Amino acid sequence: MPVVPALAAQEASPYVPLQHWTMPYLEHLITRGVIADPTPLTRPFRQADLVRVLRGVGTLAVGDKVAKTVRRLLSALDSPGPGPRYRVAGDVGIAAATYSRRDPLAALDSVGPRQAGPEHSTVSGGLDLELHLGRVVAVTHPYFDTRLKYDPDWFGEKRRVTGGRTEESYLSAQWPVGELFFGRLDRNWGPSGIQGLLLSDNPYGFDHLALAIGTSRFQLQALATQLDDRSDSTGVVVHRYLEQHRVWLRLGKRWTVALWEGSVLSGPNRVFEPWYLNILNLGYLEQFNTHTSANSFLGVDFERHGEPTLFGQFMLDDIQVDRKTTLDQKPSSYGLTMGAKGGFGRSGLAWTLFYTRVANLTYRNENNLQTPLYHLLGTGRNFADYDQATLKLGVLPMGALLIQPELTVLRQGEGDPRLPHPLVAAYPATATFLQGVVERTLRLALSGDYAPDERLGFTFDVGVHHITNFQHITGDSQTRFVGSVGLSYRFGWGGALP
């Protein structure tokens, strides 16, 4: 899923990870309209694309605080020069939180899919090595983090004192007409700041092959990966795969639209058939024409840049047109997001407002192994049978400090992507949306990022969750404080390769 503009660059450029310390500031500047979004509906950014739009900011016109932020971001992201070279970036940090998951809104309950995990204090550190080799860039980023052993979502080693993983590791070959990518990198297809419905940074990164062919305004994009193996009811090992294809269009200066599809394949001794890998094929049609089994998804993303910027995403998993038999009574499964974002004139304030919904049976399938889950984590959303409305503000009271208040209302039914698909006889009693006792959460929160220079970073997130029908028990209401704080020190060096 490579980026779209600036494919004519003479040298390959690494991606800026979604967890990089610069990302909150960059998204804030994009929302306010200070810089253009280099790749609408696509994350992460390429470093060279960010440098290009940051250099285009008229610092005299945006005010002192924004100008200082732009200069700090340019200093952190700008390349030292052309030619074969290397860069090493490292960081060490300490943190404390009342929950173990990465997302405080995904950490509500003591048990179940939104299990919070224990309170913890953690230490972390890592090294990021980049090799710039003309049209090829190589990146590896191993790190350790003691939080991993407590995180309910982490599927790796938990018996050791510390946990470790490689966050990014990839080879990317980039040309004027496209890119070939293989490796590990968190990605998001859809509106920025909201997890995509089928591809997001929710799972701990998986290795994948990605391809893009096209121009600065039109691209064909594809991604293919192997999901984790499972065992069926007889104990036979089942191989599982995921493919996604996307047509990305930038229509004039305002509109960006992406049409996409995805398929999950599974089966004993199954291989990744070439007709699903073909970037010009539609997996939904291939499963019928080749008489092979797949769980197919169809979707569309859009963004209209303006004052305000409007955005949305819709995904169709399954819908029954006829209602003649019991089989036709299967509830429809889908996901959607609608929202807007912008600034308040020259006030320096940015705002984002969105509503999102995922139906009860979305992601589930009659073949319980054909679900877009990677080690029980959704490749897009990690939850189903919920809706969420969020208002988030952002302000730079000083050049190094970004403050973001948040108000969220969340409703969560008892449906979950990890549950078995209901039997046909249970369809009439299965809700399309909000199954069973609905848990409701009101979140009031304040988060912030403070980076006085490239070396030091401080983050915090404090909030109050008022939860009604806690853990889907009627009448049980609780109010909980959630919070996290982190301090990091960054360092780095680079130079020409021999």
Side-chain angles (χ1 to χ4, degrees), residues 198 225-243 263-270 293-297 317 330 361 363-379 416-422:
L198 194 58
T225 188
Q226 181 173 356
L227 303 175
D228 57 305
D229 288 344
R230 304 279 180 85
S231 297
D232 63 16
S233 58
T234 65
V236 175
V237 174
V238 173
H239 303 311
R240 305 167 61 245
Y241 307 93
L242 169 70
E243 63 84 5
S263 298
V264 180
L265 325 175
S266 71
N269 302 316
R270 181 124 188 210
S293 175
N295 183 15
S296 296
F297 304 83
D317 183 2
K330 177 181 177 178
L361 297 185
Y363 306 122
R364 285 192 264 178
N365 186 262
E366 290 83 354
N367 181 338
N368 289 309
L369 298 180
Q370 285 183 350
T371 54
L373 297 175
Y374 180 66
H375 293 282
L376 298 182
L377 291 174
T379 62
D416 183 72
R418 288 152 286 262
L419 292 174
H421 192 275

Side-chain angles (χ1 to χ4, degrees), residues 17 89-91 125-129 139-143 165-169:
D91 68 277
L127 281 176
D128 184 1
L129 172 63
V139 172
T140 183
H141 182 198
Y143 81 102
R165 63 183 292 259
T166 302
E167 191 162 21
E168 299 96 34
S169 54

Side-chain angles (χ1 to χ4, degrees), residues 3 47 133 376 378 408 474:
V3 298
Q47 186 174 309
L133 304 166
L376 298 182
T408 288
T474 302

Side-chain angles (χ1 to χ4, degrees), residues 457-480:
F458 176 74
T459 63
F460 69 89
D461 187 300
V462 293
V464 175
H465 292 172
H466 179 69
I467 309 170
T468 305
N469 297 337
F470 179 67
Q471 295 183 172
H472 306 285
I473 299 176
T474 302
D476 186 358
S477 296
Q478 298 193 17
T479 300
R480 293 191 167 190

Side-chain angles (χ1 to χ4, degrees), residues 78-96:
D78 205 358
S79 171
R85 62 193 184 277
Y86 73 93
R87 175 165 176 77
V88 177
D91 68 277
V92 292
I94 56 174

